[in-house]
Structure formats: structure tokens, C-alpha cells
Amino acid sequence: MENNAFFSKEQSLALQKKIYAAVSEEHQPELAALYACLDYQNYSPVKRFENATGLKGIYHHYKFPQDMNPLEYEALMKPMRIFEIIERSMNPGSDDLLAELQEVKPQSLFAVRKMYQELTELNPELKEAAISPTLVRSYVAVISGACSGFPPEDIIEFSKAKGADNDRINEEKRQFSKLIEQRTGRTGANGKPLIENWCPSEKTRNRILQLLDNRDQKRTNQSFDNTGFYSFLVDRGWFND
């Protein structure tokens, strides 16, 4: 891969071929099963939240190389995400398969690092994220977060969370989701939490609460106006200080 060009679909496919070529025929079915874990259609948790609540202005729009859309850019990471799964012990496969895959981990790490570097050059607000340079999943978390439209402060806080901090932000997410569900009367799809697969930072939580307060106030004013009483007071200069 050339350093002076954006990471491309062709390079992603070439890396995928290298990964398959590094695995013996005996373990190809196991690799295929592992790779199948990556077959999902990402739909931003932030967009789901905005659609469910009617609130706007939470989703963050990032710039992506060559004007790709977020899903196109995230798809380039698919070969590298095999190592994300392994690092998270989600579906690591056999020891023999892991040993064979280690041969191509350096190329995968180089590729995901390149994607991270080009993304942060276009979006400097992400440069504060904490990165573990030897872990594919560390880079994936930032890139995938951007592709999901998470606000920068949410990505940065999540990237820095370790141990008890992870427990704390996940508990804050659960409690905040319950609060917003109570205020809006909305839940997630199939009765799931309204906020899922996304940990809003305190700044984002405050923004959401402010948006709700603004909407509630607007509805209250409209309710008064519908009675004619609010218009009556305005016509008489009641609110002219």
C-alpha cells in the first residue's frame, strides 16, 4: 500500500486475499465462520435515536476520503475487523487458526492505522482519542464511531475509558436511556433500550436534555397560543420588556 494515497477498496480486497492465503485449507471453514461475524449492516445508533425521538442535531457529520459515505468507508475495514473480534475474544477460533492469522496481523494493523490517520487529518477533532497502537480494535473503535456519526466527545471519552470507567459510562448510558424513554414515551426497536450501542458523553447528554426542554417549551407556548390567550397578551405588549 502506498503512503501517499487514500486507503482504497482495491487495497481492502487485496488484504482480504492475503488473510485467506495465510490460512491453511484445513482451517478455511473456520475462517469463513469468523468472517461471517462481520456481515452486518451498520445503521447509526445516533440516527436511530434521532428518528425515534424526533430530535435533530446530535448526529455528527464527518468528512471521509474521496467523498465516500460512512458505510462505504466502514466497509473498507472489514478484513481488519477479524482481528478486532479476536482481540475482544468474541469469537477467536482455534489456536491453530489464530497462529496462522498472526502472520497477516501486521499488514492489517498497518491498514487500519492508515485509515485512522487519513480520517483524523480530515477531522482533527478526533485526534484527542486515545489509541493503543498495537491493537486493531483501538483504531476500529474511532473509525467505526465516526462512521456511526457519534459526536467527537463521545468517541474520545469511550476511547479513554478503562476498567471501572467502562462500567461507569455504560451505567450512565442505561440510566440516561431510561430517563429519555420516560420523557418521550419512546423505546428502541423490539422493546430494546432507546440508547444502545452508543455511550453519550455528559456533553451530549446535556445537549439532548436541552433539545427536549426547548421542544417542551415550544409545545407549551403553542398550547397557550391555541387558546388565543397567548396571542391576546402578545397583542397587548405583555412580553415587550
Side-chain angles (χ1 to χ4, degrees):
M1 291 177 290
E2 297 178 5
N3 290 320
N4 60 350
F6 288 125
F7 189 74
S8 66
K9 183 177 180 180
E10 291 73 21
Q11 290 170 320
S12 178
L13 291 172
L15 180 58
Q16 179 183 342
K17 290 180 179 178
K18 286 183 180 179
I19 290 172
Y20 270 87
V23 174
S24 63
E25 184 176 351
E26 176 186 359
H27 297 116
Q28 286 291 330
E30 197 177 354
L31 174 61
L34 187 61
Y35 208 73
C37 295
L38 305 172
D39 288 332
Y40 71 96
Q41 183 66 37
N42 175 28
Y43 184 66
S44 168
V46 185
K47 284 185 179 178
R48 284 200 300 265
F49 178 82
E50 288 188 336
N51 291 340
T53 61
L55 300 174
K56 302 298 178 186
I58 306 160
Y59 183 93
H60 189 88
H61 293 272
Y62 294 93
K63 297 177 183 178
F64 295 96
Q66 299 177 310
D67 293 323
M68 279 188 277
N69 66 48
L71 293 182
E72 289 174 329
Y73 196 66
E74 187 167 35
L76 298 182
M77 282 198 301
K78 187 174 179 180
M80 296 87 96
R81 295 194 80 156
I82 285 181
F83 295 96
E84 177 201 14
I85 289 178
I86 292 171
E87 289 170 356
R88 293 185 184 279
S89 300
M90 295 167 62
N91 185 8
S94 67
D95 290 343
D96 290 339
L97 174 63
L98 296 184
E100 292 178 345
L101 285 173
Q102 286 306 307
E103 295 182 19
V104 285
K105 183 174 181 179
Q107 294 97 313
S108 297
L109 192 57
F110 177 83
V112 76
R113 185 183 295 127
K114 181 175 175 62
M115 289 184 67
Y116 166 81
Q117 289 170 343
E118 64 191 26
L119 181 66
T120 53
E121 284 302 313
L122 291 173
N123 304 277
E125 62 269 33
L126 292 174
K127 289 186 176 182
E128 292 184 31
I131 292 294
S132 298
T134 61
L135 295 177
V136 170
R137 63 184 173 91
S138 183
Y139 294 103
V140 168
V142 175
I143 298 169
S144 188
C147 291
S148 291
F150 294 165
E153 50 270 18
D154 299 2
I155 296 174
I156 292 167
E157 181 180 74
F158 186 80
S159 74
K160 294 179 178 180
K162 307 291 182 184
D165 285 338
N166 271 318
D167 296 336
R168 173 183 58 80
I169 65 176
N170 276 291
E171 181 59 25
E172 288 173 349
K173 173 194 70 176
R174 286 189 286 269
Q175 294 303 322
F176 187 69
S177 184
K178 290 179 182 178
L179 172 64
I180 302 304
E181 288 164 22
Q182 291 170 356
R183 286 196 59 173
T184 63
R186 302 281 185 175
T187 61
N190 301 317
K192 291 183 178 180
L194 188 59
I195 299 176
E196 192 175 31
N197 300 323
W198 165 42
C199 291
S201 63
E202 182 178 6
K203 183 176 179 179
T204 298
R205 296 197 301 270
N206 288 338
R207 185 186 309 137
I208 291 170
L209 291 173
Q210 187 62 59
L211 288 169
L212 279 174
D213 289 344
N214 292 345
R215 186 169 71 180
D216 289 348
Q217 185 61 49
K218 183 177 180 181
R219 287 174 175 174
T220 299
N221 292 342
Q222 288 174 339
S223 179
F224 274 122
D225 200 33
N226 287 340
T227 67
F229 183 66
Y230 183 78
S231 296
F232 173 83
L233 294 177
V234 171
D235 290 342
R236 283 151 183 77
W238 185 267
F239 299 104
N240 294 335
D241 295 329

